[in-house]
Structures are given as structure tokens and as C-alpha cells.
Amino acid sequence: MSVGGLAAPALGALADSTSLRTALMPLIILPALSGLLLRGLRDPAPERQSTPHLPAR
């Protein structure tokens, strides 16, 4: 399915063993951390268009 479906049981177990606040903290921190890391990425360079080769005369 998705990462959320895989992480839900782990977050539930964490909430049961600690507190709901502790279990929801990664849901705030991880997107913020991801946003900071992704800011350093650049757009890919456009592909070069090759000129058609004309046959020799």
C-alpha cells in the first residue's frame, strides 16, 4: 500500500507504550526534515536536442 499503512502499526505500538504526543512527534518532524533536505535538490538540466545529420554530397 503506502508508507502510512506500514507505519501505522509501529506508531500505534509507540503510542500504547509511551503517549500519543510522543507517537505523533515523528509526523511533525519528518516532513519538516524532508523539506529541508529536498531544498538542496536542483531541477534536472534540459536534454540537448541533437541537430539532424545531413547526408554528405
Coordinates of all heavy atoms in Angstrom, one line a residue:
M1 N 0.8 -1.2 0.0 CA 0.0 0.0 0.0 C 0.9 1.2 0.0 O 1.4 1.6 -1.0 CB -0.9 0.0 1.2 CG -1.9 -1.1 1.2 SD -2.9 -0.8 -0.3 CE -4.3 -1.7 0.0
S2 N 1.0 1.8 1.1 CA 1.9 3.0 1.2 C 2.6 3.0 2.5 O 2.5 2.2 3.4 CB 1.0 4.3 1.1 OG 0.2 4.4 2.3
V3 N 3.5 4.0 2.7 CA 4.3 4.1 3.9 C 3.5 4.3 5.1 O 3.7 3.8 6.2 CB 5.4 5.2 3.7 CG1 6.2 5.4 5.0 CG2 6.3 4.9 2.6
G4 N 2.4 5.1 4.9 CA 1.5 5.3 6.0 C 0.8 4.0 6.6 O 0.7 3.8 7.8
G5 N 0.5 3.1 5.6 CA -0.1 1.9 6.0 C 0.9 1.0 6.8 O 0.6 0.2 7.6
L6 N 2.2 1.1 6.4 CA 3.2 0.3 7.0 C 3.6 0.9 8.4 O 4.0 0.2 9.3 CB 4.4 0.2 6.1 CG 4.2 -0.5 4.8 CD1 5.5 -0.4 3.9 CD2 3.9 -2.0 5.1
A7 N 3.5 2.2 8.5 CA 4.0 2.9 9.7 C 2.9 2.9 10.8 O 3.2 3.1 12.0 CB 4.5 4.3 9.4
A8 N 1.6 2.8 10.4 CA 0.6 2.9 11.4 C 0.7 1.9 12.5 O 0.5 2.3 13.7 CB -0.8 2.7 10.7
P9 N 1.0 0.6 12.3 CA 1.1 -0.3 13.5 C 2.3 0.1 14.4 O 2.1 0.0 15.6 CB 1.4 -1.6 12.8 CG 0.8 -1.5 11.5 CD 1.0 -0.1 11.1
A10 N 3.4 0.6 13.8 CA 4.5 1.0 14.6 C 4.2 2.2 15.4 O 4.5 2.3 16.6 CB 5.7 1.3 13.7
L11 N 3.5 3.2 14.8 CA 3.1 4.4 15.6 C 2.0 4.0 16.7 O 2.1 4.6 17.8 CB 2.5 5.4 14.6 CG 3.5 6.1 13.8 CD1 2.9 7.1 12.8 CD2 4.5 6.9 14.6
G12 N 1.2 3.1 16.4 CA 0.2 2.6 17.4 C 0.9 2.0 18.6 O 0.5 2.2 19.7
A13 N 1.8 1.1 18.3 CA 2.6 0.5 19.4 C 3.3 1.5 20.2 O 3.4 1.4 21.4 CB 3.5 -0.6 18.8
L14 N 3.9 2.5 19.5 CA 4.7 3.5 20.2 C 3.7 4.3 21.1 O 4.0 4.7 22.2 CB 5.4 4.4 19.2 CG 6.2 5.6 19.8 CD1 7.4 5.0 20.6 CD2 6.7 6.5 18.7
A15 N 2.5 4.7 20.6 CA 1.5 5.4 21.4 C 1.1 4.6 22.6 O 0.8 5.2 23.6 CB 0.4 5.8 20.5
D16 N 0.9 3.3 22.4 CA 0.5 2.5 23.5 C 1.5 2.4 24.6 O 1.2 2.4 25.8 CB 0.1 1.0 23.0 CG -1.2 1.0 22.3 OD1 -2.0 1.9 22.4 OD2 -1.4 0.0 21.5
S17 N 2.8 2.3 24.2 CA 3.9 2.2 25.2 C 4.3 3.5 25.8 O 4.8 3.5 26.9 CB 5.1 1.5 24.6 OG 5.6 2.3 23.6
T18 N 4.1 4.6 25.1 CA 4.5 5.9 25.7 C 3.3 6.8 25.8 O 2.5 6.6 26.7 CB 5.6 6.6 24.8 OG1 5.1 6.8 23.5 CG2 6.9 5.8 24.7
S19 N 3.1 7.8 24.9 CA 2.0 8.6 24.9 C 1.7 9.0 23.4 O 2.5 8.8 22.5 CB 2.2 9.9 25.7 OG 3.2 10.7 25.0
L20 N 0.5 9.5 23.2 CA 0.1 9.9 21.9 C 0.9 11.1 21.4 O 1.3 11.1 20.2 CB -1.4 10.3 21.9 CG -2.0 10.7 20.5 CD1 -1.9 9.5 19.5 CD2 -3.4 11.1 20.7
R21 N 1.3 12.0 22.2 CA 2.1 13.1 21.9 C 3.5 12.6 21.3 O 4.0 13.1 20.3 CB 2.3 14.0 23.0 CG 3.2 15.2 22.7 CD 3.3 16.1 23.9 NE 2.0 16.7 24.1 CZ 1.9 18.0 24.4 NH1 2.9 18.8 24.6 NH2 0.7 18.5 24.5
T22 N 4.1 11.6 22.0 CA 5.4 11.1 21.6 C 5.2 10.4 20.2 O 6.1 10.4 19.4 CB 5.9 10.1 22.6 OG1 6.0 10.8 23.9 CG2 7.3 9.5 22.3
A23 N 4.1 9.7 20.0 CA 3.9 8.9 18.8 C 3.7 9.9 17.6 O 4.0 9.5 16.5 CB 2.8 8.0 19.0
L24 N 3.1 11.0 17.8 CA 2.8 11.9 16.7 C 3.9 12.9 16.4 O 3.9 13.5 15.4 CB 1.5 12.7 17.1 CG 0.2 11.9 17.1 CD1 -1.0 12.8 17.5 CD2 0.0 11.2 15.8
M25 N 4.9 13.0 17.3 CA 6.0 13.9 17.1 C 6.8 13.5 15.8 O 7.1 14.5 15.0 CB 7.0 13.8 18.3 CG 7.9 15.0 18.3 SD 7.2 16.6 18.3 CE 6.4 16.6 19.9
P26 N 7.0 12.3 15.4 CA 7.7 12.0 14.1 C 6.9 12.5 12.9 O 7.5 12.8 11.9 CB 7.8 10.5 14.1 CG 7.7 10.0 15.5 CD 6.9 11.0 16.2
L27 N 5.6 12.5 13.0 CA 4.7 13.0 11.9 C 4.9 14.5 11.7 O 4.5 15.0 10.7 CB 3.3 12.7 12.2 CG 3.0 11.2 12.3 CD1 1.5 11.0 12.6 CD2 3.4 10.4 11.1
I28 N 5.4 15.2 12.7 CA 5.7 16.6 12.5 C 7.2 16.8 12.1 O 7.5 17.6 11.2 CB 5.4 17.4 13.9 CG1 4.0 17.3 14.2 CG2 5.9 18.8 13.8 CD1 3.6 17.7 15.6
I29 N 8.1 16.1 12.7 CA 9.5 16.3 12.5 C 9.9 15.8 11.1 O 10.7 16.5 10.4 CB 10.3 15.6 13.6 CG1 10.0 16.4 14.9 CG2 11.8 15.6 13.3 CD1 10.6 15.7 16.1
L30 N 9.5 14.6 10.7 CA 10.0 14.0 9.5 C 9.6 14.8 8.2 O 10.5 15.0 7.4 CB 9.5 12.6 9.3 CG 10.2 11.6 10.3 CD1 9.6 10.2 10.2 CD2 11.7 11.5 10.1
P31 N 8.4 15.3 8.1 CA 8.1 16.2 6.9 C 9.0 17.5 6.9 O 9.4 17.9 5.8 CB 6.6 16.5 7.0 CG 6.1 15.4 7.8 CD 7.1 15.0 8.8
A32 N 9.2 18.0 8.1 CA 10.0 19.3 8.1 C 11.4 18.9 7.8 O 12.0 19.7 7.0 CB 9.9 19.9 9.5
L33 N 11.9 17.9 8.3 CA 13.3 17.4 7.9 C 13.4 17.1 6.4 O 14.4 17.5 5.8 CB 13.7 16.2 8.8 CG 15.1 15.7 8.6 CD1 16.1 16.7 8.9 CD2 15.3 14.4 9.4
S34 N 12.4 16.5 5.9 CA 12.4 16.1 4.5 C 12.4 17.4 3.6 O 13.1 17.5 2.6 CB 11.2 15.3 4.1 OG 11.3 14.1 4.8
G35 N 11.6 18.4 4.0 CA 11.6 19.6 3.3 C 12.9 20.3 3.3 O 13.3 20.9 2.3
L36 N 13.6 20.3 4.4 CA 14.9 20.9 4.5 C 15.9 20.2 3.6 O 16.7 20.8 2.9 CB 15.4 21.0 5.9 CG 14.7 21.9 6.8 CD1 15.2 21.7 8.3 CD2 14.9 23.4 6.4
L37 N 15.9 18.9 3.6 CA 16.8 18.1 2.8 C 16.5 18.3 1.3 O 17.4 18.3 0.5 CB 16.8 16.7 3.1 CG 17.3 16.3 4.5 CD1 17.1 14.8 4.8 CD2 18.8 16.6 4.6
L38 N 15.3 18.4 0.9 CA 14.9 18.5 -0.5 C 15.2 19.9 -1.1 O 15.2 20.0 -2.3 CB 13.4 18.1 -0.7 CG 13.1 16.6 -0.5 CD1 11.6 16.4 -0.6 CD2 13.9 15.8 -1.4
R39 N 15.3 20.9 -0.2 CA 15.6 22.2 -0.8 C 16.9 22.3 -1.5 O 17.2 23.1 -2.4 CB 15.7 23.2 0.4 CG 14.3 23.5 1.0 CD 14.5 24.5 2.0 NE 14.6 25.8 1.3 CZ 14.0 26.9 1.6 NH1 13.3 26.9 2.7 NH2 14.2 28.0 1.0
G40 N 17.9 21.3 -1.2 CA 19.2 21.3 -1.9 C 19.1 20.7 -3.2 O 20.1 20.8 -4.0
L41 N 18.1 20.0 -3.6 CA 18.0 19.4 -4.9 C 17.8 20.5 -6.0 O 17.1 21.5 -5.8 CB 16.9 18.4 -5.0 CG 17.0 17.2 -4.1 CD1 15.8 16.3 -4.2 CD2 18.3 16.4 -4.5
R42 N 18.3 20.2 -7.2 CA 18.1 21.1 -8.3 C 17.3 20.4 -9.4 O 17.2 19.2 -9.4 CB 19.5 21.5 -8.9 CG 20.4 22.2 -8.0 CD 21.7 22.5 -8.6 NE 22.5 23.1 -7.7 CZ 23.7 23.7 -8.0 NH1 24.1 23.6 -9.2 NH2 24.4 24.2 -7.1
D43 N 16.7 21.2 -10.2 CA 15.9 20.7 -11.3 C 16.9 20.0 -12.3 O 18.0 20.5 -12.5 CB 15.1 21.7 -12.0 CG 13.9 22.2 -11.3 OD1 13.4 21.4 -10.5 OD2 13.5 23.4 -11.4
P44 N 16.5 18.9 -13.0 CA 17.4 18.3 -13.9 C 17.6 19.3 -15.1 O 16.8 20.1 -15.5 CB 16.7 17.1 -14.3 CG 15.3 17.2 -14.0 CD 15.3 18.2 -12.8
A45 N 18.8 19.2 -15.7 CA 19.1 20.0 -16.8 C 18.3 19.5 -18.0 O 18.1 18.3 -18.2 CB 20.6 19.9 -17.2
P46 N 17.9 20.5 -18.9 CA 17.1 20.0 -20.0 C 18.0 19.2 -21.0 O 19.2 19.4 -21.1 CB 16.6 21.3 -20.7 CG 17.5 22.4 -20.1 CD 18.0 21.9 -18.8
E47 N 17.3 18.3 -21.7 CA 18.1 17.5 -22.6 C 18.5 18.3 -23.8 O 17.7 19.1 -24.3 CB 17.2 16.3 -23.0 CG 17.0 15.3 -21.9 CD 16.2 14.1 -22.5 OE1 16.3 13.7 -23.7 OE2 15.5 13.4 -21.7
R48 N 19.6 18.0 -24.3 CA 20.1 18.7 -25.5 C 19.4 18.1 -26.7 O 19.2 16.8 -26.8 CB 21.6 18.5 -25.7 CG 22.4 19.2 -24.8 CD 23.8 19.0 -25.1 NE 24.6 20.2 -24.8 CZ 25.9 20.3 -25.1 NH1 26.5 19.3 -25.7 NH2 26.6 21.4 -24.7
Q49 N 19.0 18.9 -27.6 CA 18.3 18.4 -28.8 C 19.4 18.3 -29.9 O 20.1 19.3 -30.2 CB 17.2 19.3 -29.3 CG 16.0 19.3 -28.3 CD 14.8 20.0 -28.9 OE1 14.9 20.3 -30.1 NE2 13.8 20.1 -28.1
S50 N 19.6 17.1 -30.4 CA 20.6 17.0 -31.5 C 20.1 17.5 -32.8 O 18.9 17.4 -33.1 CB 21.0 15.5 -31.6 OG 19.9 14.7 -32.0
T51 N 21.0 18.0 -33.6 CA 20.7 18.5 -34.9 C 20.7 17.3 -35.8 O 21.6 16.5 -35.7 CB 21.6 19.6 -35.4 OG1 22.9 19.1 -35.3 CG2 21.6 20.8 -34.5
P52 N 19.8 17.3 -36.8 CA 19.8 16.1 -37.7 C 21.0 16.2 -38.6 O 21.4 17.3 -39.0 CB 18.5 16.3 -38.5 CG 18.1 17.8 -38.3 CD 18.7 18.2 -37.0
H53 N 21.6 15.1 -38.8 CA 22.8 15.0 -39.7 C 22.3 14.9 -41.1 O 21.5 14.0 -41.5 CB 23.6 13.8 -39.3 CG 24.2 13.9 -37.9 ND1 25.2 14.7 -37.6 CD2 23.8 13.3 -36.7 CE1 25.5 14.6 -36.3 NE2 24.6 13.7 -35.8
L54 N 22.9 15.7 -41.9 CA 22.6 15.7 -43.4 C 23.5 14.8 -44.1 O 24.7 14.7 -43.7 CB 22.7 17.1 -43.9 CG 21.7 18.1 -43.4 CD1 22.0 19.5 -43.9 CD2 20.3 17.7 -43.6
P55 N 23.0 14.0 -45.0 CA 24.0 13.1 -45.7 C 25.0 13.9 -46.5 O 24.7 15.0 -47.0 CB 23.1 12.3 -46.7 CG 21.8 13.1 -46.7 CD 21.7 13.9 -45.5
A56 N 26.2 13.4 -46.6 CA 27.3 14.0 -47.4 C 27.0 14.0 -48.9 O 26.5 13.0 -49.4 CB 28.6 13.4 -47.1
R57 N 27.3 15.0 -49.6 CA 27.1 15.0 -51.1 C 28.3 14.8 -51.8 O 29.4 15.1 -51.6 CB 26.5 16.3 -51.5 CG 25.1 16.5 -51.0 CD 24.4 17.7 -51.6 NE 23.1 17.7 -51.2 CZ 22.2 18.6 -51.6 NH1 22.5 19.4 -52.5 NH2 21.0 18.6 -51.2

